[in-house]
Amino acid sequence: MEFELDEEQQLLRRTVRETVAKVRSRPAGQQWDTYLRLGWLEAPPLELALILEELGYVADPTPFLATATWFAPLTGRLPEGSGTAVFDGVGRYVLDADRADEVALLTRRGVIVVPAAQLAAERVPVLDPHLHAAHVGAEDLAAAVPDLALVGLAATCVGACRRVLDLVLDHVKQRVQFGRPLGSFQAVKHKAADMHVAIERARALTHFSALTIAEDDPRRADAAHMAKAAAGECQRLVFRHGLQLSGAMGFTWENELQYHLKRAQACDLLLGTASVHRKALLA
Protein backbone atom coordinates (compact mmCIF):
# COMPACT_ATOMS: atom_id res chain seq x y z
CA MET A 1 0.00 0.00 0.00
CA GLU A 2 1.12 3.57 -0.73
CA PHE A 3 0.74 5.67 2.43
CA GLU A 4 1.63 9.06 0.92
CA LEU A 5 -1.04 11.07 -0.89
CA ASP A 6 -0.34 11.36 -4.61
CA GLU A 7 -0.68 14.60 -6.56
CA GLU A 8 -4.31 13.95 -7.52
CA GLN A 9 -5.30 13.25 -3.91
CA GLN A 10 -3.52 16.38 -2.70
CA LEU A 11 -5.29 18.37 -5.40
CA LEU A 12 -8.63 16.86 -4.34
CA ARG A 13 -8.01 17.87 -0.72
CA ARG A 14 -7.16 21.44 -1.72
CA THR A 15 -10.20 21.63 -4.00
CA VAL A 16 -12.55 20.32 -1.32
CA ARG A 17 -11.08 22.72 1.23
CA GLU A 18 -11.56 25.70 -1.08
CA THR A 19 -15.07 24.66 -2.13
CA VAL A 20 -16.25 24.07 1.43
CA ALA A 21 -14.87 27.45 2.51
CA LYS A 22 -16.92 29.13 -0.23
CA VAL A 23 -20.25 27.41 0.46
CA ARG A 24 -20.21 26.91 4.25
CA SER A 25 -22.20 30.10 4.86
CA ARG A 26 -25.01 28.98 2.54
CA PRO A 27 -28.10 26.99 3.61
CA ALA A 28 -27.54 23.27 4.09
CA GLY A 29 -29.65 22.43 1.04
CA GLN A 30 -27.45 24.50 -1.25
CA GLN A 31 -24.31 22.96 0.22
CA TRP A 32 -25.75 19.48 -0.38
CA ASP A 33 -26.57 20.35 -4.00
CA THR A 34 -22.98 21.50 -4.52
CA TYR A 35 -21.56 18.24 -3.19
CA LEU A 36 -23.89 16.21 -5.39
CA ARG A 37 -23.02 18.24 -8.48
CA LEU A 38 -19.29 17.74 -7.88
CA GLY A 39 -19.73 13.97 -7.57
CA TRP A 40 -18.08 13.67 -4.15
CA LEU A 41 -20.38 10.82 -3.15
CA GLU A 42 -18.76 8.62 -5.80
CA ALA A 43 -15.23 9.00 -4.38
CA PRO A 44 -13.22 5.83 -3.52
CA PRO A 45 -12.60 5.11 0.19
CA LEU A 46 -9.38 7.08 0.71
CA GLU A 47 -10.58 10.07 -1.30
CA LEU A 48 -13.87 9.90 0.59
CA ALA A 49 -11.98 10.03 3.89
CA LEU A 50 -10.18 13.17 2.68
CA ILE A 51 -13.51 14.78 1.79
CA LEU A 52 -15.11 13.84 5.09
CA GLU A 53 -12.19 15.27 7.05
CA GLU A 54 -12.71 18.63 5.37
CA LEU A 55 -16.46 18.44 5.99
CA GLY A 56 -15.77 17.60 9.63
CA TYR A 57 -13.53 20.65 9.81
CA VAL A 58 -16.55 22.92 9.20
CA ALA A 59 -19.15 20.85 11.12
CA ASP A 60 -20.97 20.10 7.87
CA PRO A 61 -24.79 20.20 8.31
CA THR A 62 -25.67 18.09 5.25
CA PRO A 63 -26.54 14.36 5.07
CA PHE A 64 -23.30 13.61 3.18
CA LEU A 65 -21.76 11.43 5.90
CA ALA A 66 -24.79 9.15 6.27
CA THR A 67 -25.38 8.90 2.53
CA ALA A 68 -21.79 8.08 1.61
CA THR A 69 -20.80 5.81 4.49
CA TRP A 70 -24.04 4.39 5.91
CA PHE A 71 -26.36 3.90 2.94
CA ALA A 72 -23.94 3.31 0.04
CA PRO A 73 -21.76 0.52 1.54
CA LEU A 74 -24.82 -1.41 2.67
CA THR A 75 -26.72 -1.23 -0.62
CA GLY A 76 -23.88 -0.99 -3.13
CA ARG A 77 -25.42 2.07 -4.76
CA LEU A 78 -26.19 5.72 -4.11
CA PRO A 79 -29.71 6.76 -3.12
CA GLU A 80 -32.16 8.87 -5.07
CA GLY A 81 -31.40 11.98 -3.08
CA SER A 82 -30.10 11.38 0.44
CA GLY A 83 -29.93 8.13 2.36
CA THR A 84 -29.00 6.41 5.57
CA ALA A 85 -29.02 2.92 7.02
CA VAL A 86 -30.01 0.95 10.10
CA PHE A 87 -27.43 -1.72 10.88
CA ASP A 88 -27.11 -1.73 14.66
CA GLY A 89 -29.93 -4.21 15.17
CA VAL A 90 -32.08 -1.81 17.21
CA GLY A 91 -32.51 1.36 15.13
CA ARG A 92 -31.26 3.79 17.75
CA TYR A 93 -29.54 7.09 16.89
CA VAL A 94 -29.65 6.53 13.15
CA LEU A 95 -27.81 9.36 11.42
CA ASP A 96 -30.10 11.56 9.27
CA ALA A 97 -32.99 9.08 9.39
CA ASP A 98 -35.45 11.94 9.96
CA ARG A 99 -34.55 13.68 6.66
CA ALA A 100 -33.27 10.96 4.33
CA ASP A 101 -35.08 10.08 1.13
CA GLU A 102 -34.22 6.38 1.38
CA VAL A 103 -33.32 4.16 4.32
CA ALA A 104 -31.50 0.84 4.04
CA LEU A 105 -32.50 -1.72 6.67
CA LEU A 106 -30.18 -4.59 7.49
CA THR A 107 -32.49 -7.45 8.41
CA ARG A 108 -32.07 -11.17 9.00
CA ARG A 109 -33.43 -11.67 5.47
CA GLY A 110 -30.91 -9.27 3.90
CA VAL A 111 -30.81 -5.58 3.02
CA ILE A 112 -34.13 -3.89 2.36
CA VAL A 113 -34.33 -0.34 1.00
CA VAL A 114 -37.50 1.59 1.75
CA PRO A 115 -38.63 5.19 1.18
CA ALA A 116 -38.16 7.17 4.37
CA ALA A 117 -41.83 8.19 4.29
CA GLN A 118 -42.78 4.56 5.00
CA LEU A 119 -40.75 4.42 8.22
CA ALA A 120 -41.49 5.92 11.61
CA ALA A 121 -38.38 7.97 12.34
CA GLU A 122 -38.40 10.24 15.38
CA ARG A 123 -35.61 12.79 15.65
CA VAL A 124 -33.98 12.79 19.05
CA PRO A 125 -31.89 15.58 20.61
CA VAL A 126 -28.13 15.10 20.55
CA LEU A 127 -25.37 17.34 21.85
CA ASP A 128 -24.43 18.58 18.36
CA PRO A 129 -27.25 20.93 17.26
CA HIS A 130 -26.33 20.60 13.57
CA LEU A 131 -26.36 16.79 13.61
CA HIS A 132 -29.56 14.88 12.80
CA ALA A 133 -30.16 11.58 14.58
CA ALA A 134 -33.37 9.62 14.94
CA HIS A 135 -34.81 6.43 16.36
CA VAL A 136 -36.26 4.20 13.65
CA GLY A 137 -39.04 1.71 14.24
CA ALA A 138 -38.55 -1.46 12.20
CA GLU A 139 -38.74 -5.21 12.72
CA ASP A 140 -36.41 -8.14 12.10
CA LEU A 141 -33.28 -5.96 12.26
CA ALA A 142 -29.79 -7.45 12.31
CA ALA A 143 -26.50 -5.98 13.53
CA ALA A 144 -23.44 -5.65 11.27
CA VAL A 145 -21.78 -2.25 10.95
CA PRO A 146 -19.98 -1.59 7.61
CA ASP A 147 -16.29 -0.81 7.94
CA LEU A 148 -16.74 2.34 5.86
CA ALA A 149 -19.26 3.69 8.37
CA LEU A 150 -16.62 3.57 11.10
CA VAL A 151 -14.02 5.16 8.83
CA GLY A 152 -16.44 7.95 7.93
CA LEU A 153 -17.04 8.83 11.56
CA ALA A 154 -13.31 8.66 12.29
CA ALA A 155 -12.45 10.98 9.39
CA THR A 156 -15.15 13.46 10.42
CA CYS A 157 -13.86 13.40 13.98
CA VAL A 158 -10.31 14.08 12.79
CA GLY A 159 -11.51 17.10 10.82
CA ALA A 160 -13.39 18.48 13.82
CA CYS A 161 -10.35 18.01 16.07
CA ARG A 162 -8.14 19.72 13.52
CA ARG A 163 -10.44 22.74 13.58
CA VAL A 164 -10.33 22.84 17.37
CA LEU A 165 -6.52 22.86 17.29
CA ASP A 166 -6.47 25.68 14.73
CA LEU A 167 -8.85 27.76 16.86
CA VAL A 168 -6.74 27.13 19.96
CA LEU A 169 -3.53 28.08 18.19
CA ASP A 170 -5.06 31.34 16.98
CA HIS A 171 -6.17 32.10 20.54
CA VAL A 172 -2.87 31.37 22.29
CA LYS A 173 -0.94 33.41 19.72
CA GLN A 174 -3.10 36.48 20.31
CA ARG A 175 -3.90 36.21 24.03
CA VAL A 176 -1.31 37.96 26.20
CA GLN A 177 -0.63 37.01 29.83
CA PHE A 178 2.13 38.44 32.04
CA GLY A 179 3.27 40.51 29.07
CA ARG A 180 3.78 37.47 26.81
CA PRO A 181 1.59 35.55 24.34
CA LEU A 182 0.10 32.43 25.92
CA GLY A 183 1.61 30.33 23.17
CA SER A 184 5.12 31.17 24.35
CA PHE A 185 4.69 29.25 27.62
CA GLN A 186 6.12 25.73 27.62
CA ALA A 187 3.07 24.13 29.26
CA VAL A 188 0.84 25.52 26.50
CA LYS A 189 3.23 24.29 23.81
CA HIS A 190 3.21 20.77 25.28
CA LYS A 191 -0.59 20.58 25.27
CA ALA A 192 -0.81 21.89 21.71
CA ALA A 193 1.85 19.38 20.63
CA ASP A 194 -0.07 16.54 22.28
CA MET A 195 -3.20 17.58 20.38
CA HIS A 196 -1.29 17.64 17.09
CA VAL A 197 0.23 14.19 17.67
CA ALA A 198 -3.16 12.68 18.58
CA ILE A 199 -4.74 14.15 15.44
CA GLU A 200 -1.97 12.88 13.16
CA ARG A 201 -2.15 9.42 14.71
CA ALA A 202 -5.91 9.23 14.23
CA ARG A 203 -5.59 10.55 10.68
CA ALA A 204 -2.93 7.96 9.77
CA LEU A 205 -5.07 5.10 11.07
CA THR A 206 -8.12 6.48 9.26
CA HIS A 207 -6.20 6.58 5.97
CA PHE A 208 -4.85 3.09 6.58
CA SER A 209 -8.35 1.79 7.22
CA ALA A 210 -9.65 3.45 4.04
CA LEU A 211 -6.82 1.82 2.07
CA THR A 212 -7.64 -1.63 3.45
CA ILE A 213 -11.24 -1.16 2.33
CA ALA A 214 -10.14 -0.02 -1.13
CA GLU A 215 -7.88 -3.08 -1.47
CA ASP A 216 -10.33 -5.45 0.29
CA ASP A 217 -7.48 -6.31 2.63
CA PRO A 218 -8.28 -9.03 5.21
CA ARG A 219 -7.22 -6.58 7.92
CA ARG A 220 -10.01 -4.15 7.05
CA ALA A 221 -12.26 -4.98 10.00
CA ASP A 222 -9.45 -4.59 12.54
CA ALA A 223 -8.26 -1.42 10.82
CA ALA A 224 -11.74 0.11 11.03
CA HIS A 225 -11.88 -0.62 14.77
CA MET A 226 -8.41 0.90 15.19
CA ALA A 227 -9.38 4.06 13.30
CA LYS A 228 -12.60 4.57 15.27
CA ALA A 229 -10.80 3.96 18.57
CA ALA A 230 -7.96 6.33 17.72
CA ALA A 231 -10.38 9.06 16.66
CA GLY A 232 -12.35 8.67 19.88
CA GLU A 233 -9.22 8.86 22.02
CA CYS A 234 -8.06 11.85 19.99
CA GLN A 235 -11.27 13.81 20.57
CA ARG A 236 -11.10 13.24 24.31
CA LEU A 237 -7.61 14.72 24.54
CA VAL A 238 -8.46 17.55 22.12
CA PHE A 239 -11.68 18.27 24.01
CA ARG A 240 -9.86 18.53 27.34
CA HIS A 241 -6.88 20.58 26.14
CA GLY A 242 -8.94 22.67 23.73
CA LEU A 243 -11.26 23.91 26.44
CA GLN A 244 -8.45 24.50 28.91
CA LEU A 245 -6.23 26.45 26.51
CA SER A 246 -9.18 28.57 25.33
CA GLY A 247 -9.81 29.72 28.89
CA ALA A 248 -13.13 31.33 29.72
CA MET A 249 -13.73 32.09 26.02
CA GLY A 250 -14.04 28.38 25.33
CA PHE A 251 -17.17 28.14 27.49
CA THR A 252 -19.13 30.93 25.79
CA TRP A 253 -21.99 30.30 23.37
CA GLU A 254 -20.56 32.94 21.04
CA ASN A 255 -17.35 30.97 20.54
CA GLU A 256 -17.20 28.69 17.49
CA LEU A 257 -15.20 26.13 19.48
CA GLN A 258 -18.30 24.47 20.94
CA TYR A 259 -19.64 23.27 17.60
CA HIS A 260 -16.47 21.41 16.68
CA LEU A 261 -16.04 19.92 20.14
CA LYS A 262 -19.60 18.65 20.01
CA ARG A 263 -19.18 17.24 16.48
CA ALA A 264 -16.03 15.37 17.53
CA GLN A 265 -17.67 13.95 20.63
CA ALA A 266 -20.80 12.92 18.71
CA CYS A 267 -18.62 11.03 16.22
CA ASP A 268 -17.05 9.14 19.13
CA LEU A 269 -20.43 8.22 20.61
CA LEU A 270 -22.07 7.06 17.36
CA LEU A 271 -21.55 3.35 16.60
CA GLY A 272 -19.48 2.78 19.73
CA THR A 273 -16.94 4.75 21.70
CA ALA A 274 -13.19 4.20 21.66
CA SER A 275 -13.40 1.68 24.50
CA VAL A 276 -16.03 -0.36 22.64
CA HIS A 277 -13.76 -0.71 19.62
CA ARG A 278 -10.72 -1.49 21.76
CA LYS A 279 -12.68 -4.36 23.27
CA ALA A 280 -13.74 -5.49 19.80
CA LEU A 281 -10.07 -5.68 18.79
CA LEU A 282 -9.25 -7.75 21.86
CA ALA A 283 -12.13 -10.08 21.12
Side-chain angles (χ1 to χ4, degrees):
M1 291 183 182
E2 178 62 54
F3 291 100
E4 294 292 333
L5 299 181
D6 60 29
E7 291 185 5
E8 291 186 359
Q9 291 164 340
Q10 293 176 7
L11 176 61
L12 171 65
R13 183 165 61 182
R14 289 195 300 270
T15 302
V16 172
R17 191 170 296 178
E18 293 169 359
T19 302
V20 170
K22 291 178 182 178
V23 304
R24 63 177 299 187
S25 61
R26 299 177 187 175
Q30 293 183 18
Q31 295 181 51
W32 174 242
D33 290 340
T34 300
Y35 305 158
L36 290 177
R37 187 173 66 254
L38 293 172
W40 290 356
L41 285 173
E42 301 172 13
L46 179 57
E47 286 73 10
L48 185 60
L50 298 176
I51 294 170
L52 287 170
E53 182 181 333
E54 297 306 321
L55 295 182
Y57 187 84
V58 297
D60 175 57
T62 75
F64 186 95
L65 174 63
T67 303
T69 66
W70 289 39
F71 182 92
L74 202 64
T75 63
R77 67 171 178 85
L78 294 174
E80 297 294 332
S82 59
T84 190
V86 182
F87 40 60
D88 65 347
V90 292
R92 308 282 287 179
Y93 296 101
V94 180
L95 194 60
D96 286 315
D98 62 309
R99 60 175 178 172
D101 295 301
E102 293 183 88
V103 179
L105 302 175
L106 179 60
T107 71
R108 295 179 180 85
R109 294 169 292 156
V111 178
I112 300 174
V113 179
V114 298
Q118 297 181 10
L119 284 177
E122 177 187 0
R123 186 177 181 183
V124 292
V126 292
L127 70 162
D128 184 344
H130 298 303
L131 200 66
H132 286 242
H135 294 336
V136 175
E139 298 179 352
D140 197 31
L141 294 175
V145 178
D147 299 329
L148 190 60
L150 300 180
V151 173
L153 288 171
T156 303
C157 184
V158 168
C161 290
R162 208 183 85 222
R163 179 58 177 160
V164 172
L165 177 58
D166 286 349
L167 290 171
V168 167
L169 291 178
D170 287 343
H171 175 74
V172 299
K173 289 176 183 177
Q174 298 173 14
R175 180 73 173 176
V176 175
Q177 193 76 11
F178 306 114
R180 295 168 56 188
L182 278 179
S184 66
F185 293 101
Q186 188 175 31
V188 173
K189 292 180 180 179
H190 281 308
K191 290 185 182 298
D194 288 344
M195 293 166 70
H196 173 73
V197 170
I199 291 169
E200 289 302 313
R201 174 175 175 269
R203 173 189 279 161
L205 284 169
T206 299
H207 288 183
F208 173 70
S209 182
L211 285 168
T212 62
I213 294 173
E215 298 293 332
D216 196 20
D217 190 290
R219 298 170 292 176
R220 57 183 290 172
D222 286 347
H225 288 305
M226 291 167 62
K228 186 66 165 63
E233 292 165 353
C234 171
Q235 73 83 22
R236 292 180 186 179
L237 184 142
V238 169
F239 195 108
R240 183 170 65 252
H241 289 351
L243 274 180
Q244 184 176 9
L245 294 181
S246 298
M249 291 299 297
F251 289 87
T252 62
W253 286 108
E254 293 80 4
N255 196 313
E256 180 188 347
L257 187 74
Q258 59 161 317
Y259 297 111
H260 306 290
L261 291 174
K262 290 174 180 176
R263 178 58 57 94
Q265 193 166 67
C267 287
D268 178 40
L269 294 171
L270 286 169
L271 302 184
T273 61
S275 61
V276 170
H277 292 282
R278 287 290 183 196
K279 291 176 181 177
L281 283 169
L282 290 173

